[in-house]
């Protein structure tokens, strides 16, 4: 059996295929949306190389798989192709993220100041994931201005950025890093 080629040449003129075969511009908002989700997934892979707690790595594995299915969902134009059930975000997936946020947050000191990214490598990587996640959320909201996007997808991405914030705080404190508190007097 011959191995398939990685390159097809079909995108050489600035278009790409959505799920179902519809061709759109590579600058289409749907492509921006799932491309940013893919970028987030890649940064999560990098973050995973800095984590050592099984609960964290197991949860992030779930997140990576869920983001892959969200990418599939976003790559499907529901006006031309039926959305696959497995590409949808369920309420239970949202609850799972919320439970993980609560689990991590209960071990953290109360937040009394704005925290700047940094403190240690794993916390910094979690903050990068947080900011890319926020950008992904903005991209998906832009898509939702002109196309149908299910609420659960938007809610999941929003909760996910909150998760990365508490993970960053936990990692900073665990690794004896000092959270960097915003100093309003800096000029």
């Amino acid at each position: 059996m011959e191995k398939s080629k990685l390159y097809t040449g079909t995108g050489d003129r600035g278009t790409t295929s959505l799920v179902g075969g519809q061709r759109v511009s590579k600058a289409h908002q749907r492509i921006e949306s799932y491309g940013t989700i893919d970028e987030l997934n890649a940064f999560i892979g990098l973050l995973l190389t800095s984590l050592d707690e099984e609960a964290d790595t197991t949860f992030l594995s779930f997140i990576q798989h869920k983001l892959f299915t969200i990418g599939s969902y976003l790559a499907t134009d529901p006006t031309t192709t039926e959305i696959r059930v497995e590409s949808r975000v369920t309420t239970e997936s949202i609850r799972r993220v919320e439970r993980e946020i609560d689990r991590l947050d209960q071990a953290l000191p109360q937040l009394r100041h704005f925290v700047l990214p940094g403190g240690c490598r794993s916390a910094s990587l979690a903050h990068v994931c947080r900011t890319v996640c926020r950008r992904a959320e903005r991209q998906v909201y832009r898509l939702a201005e002109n196309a149908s996007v299910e609420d659960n997808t938007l809610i999941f991405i929003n909760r996910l950025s909150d998760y990365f914030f508490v993970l960053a705080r936990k990692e900073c404190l665990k690794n004896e890093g000092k959270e960097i508190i915003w100093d309003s007097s800096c000029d």
Side-chain angles (χ1 to χ4, degrees):
M1 180 175 201
E2 188 177 328
K3 189 175 177 181
S4 64
K5 290 183 178 182
L6 291 175
Y7 55 92
T8 62
T10 59
D12 291 351
R13 300 230 184 262
T15 65
T16 191
S17 292
L18 298 177
V19 172
Q22 178 186 359
R23 305 261 334 149
V24 298
S25 165
K26 289 184 177 184
H28 191 283
Q29 188 57 46
R30 190 169 292 285
I31 308 306
E32 287 290 337
S33 296
Y34 76 74
T36 309
I37 292 293
D38 186 38
E39 180 183 353
L40 172 59
N41 215 341
F43 275 114
I44 293 170
L46 181 60
L47 171 61
L48 278 163
T49 66
S50 291
L51 299 177
D52 56 11
E53 291 183 31
E54 185 176 347
D56 296 330
T57 59
T58 298
F59 182 74
L60 282 170
S61 177
F62 156 73
I63 293 300
Q64 284 197 297
H65 287 273
K66 185 52 67 181
L67 287 175
F68 194 83
T69 61
I70 289 172
S72 170
Y73 169 79
L74 293 171
T76 305
D77 181 347
T79 64
T80 61
T81 305
E82 187 174 339
I83 302 286
R84 295 180 182 163
V85 165
E86 55 274 358
S87 295
R88 289 190 150 93
V89 174
T90 64
T91 303
E92 178 51 35
S93 291
I94 295 167
R95 284 193 200 117
R96 187 169 176 185
V97 175
E98 291 172 343
R99 284 192 302 269
E100 189 63 10
I101 291 169
D102 293 342
R103 182 185 78 79
L104 295 177
D105 193 47
Q106 73 181 1
L108 296 173
Q110 184 175 358
L111 188 60
R112 298 182 190 279
H113 306 281
F114 289 108
V115 176
L116 299 179
C120 71
R121 179 174 174 75
S122 57
S124 297
L125 290 170
H127 278 294
V128 169
C129 290
R130 175 185 58 79
T131 61
V132 174
C133 189
R134 285 287 187 211
R135 182 161 38 88
E137 182 182 20
R138 291 188 303 272
Q139 293 290 353
V140 176
Y141 267 103
R142 278 189 198 98
L143 176 64
E145 289 176 353
N146 298 308
S148 174
V149 176
E150 294 176 352
D151 288 344
N152 278 356
T153 299
L154 294 162
I155 294 167
F156 183 87
I157 296 168
N158 180 269
R159 292 299 183 284
L160 193 54
S161 63
D162 295 334
Y163 161 76
F164 287 119
F165 179 75
V166 295
L167 178 64
R169 291 194 71 216
K170 179 209 124 190
E171 283 297 305
C172 190
L173 295 171
K174 176 187 134 200
N175 291 302
E176 299 178 26
K178 296 197 186 236
E179 285 189 297
I180 303 168
I181 304 302
W182 174 61
D183 180 357
S184 62
S185 67
C186 287
D187 54 357

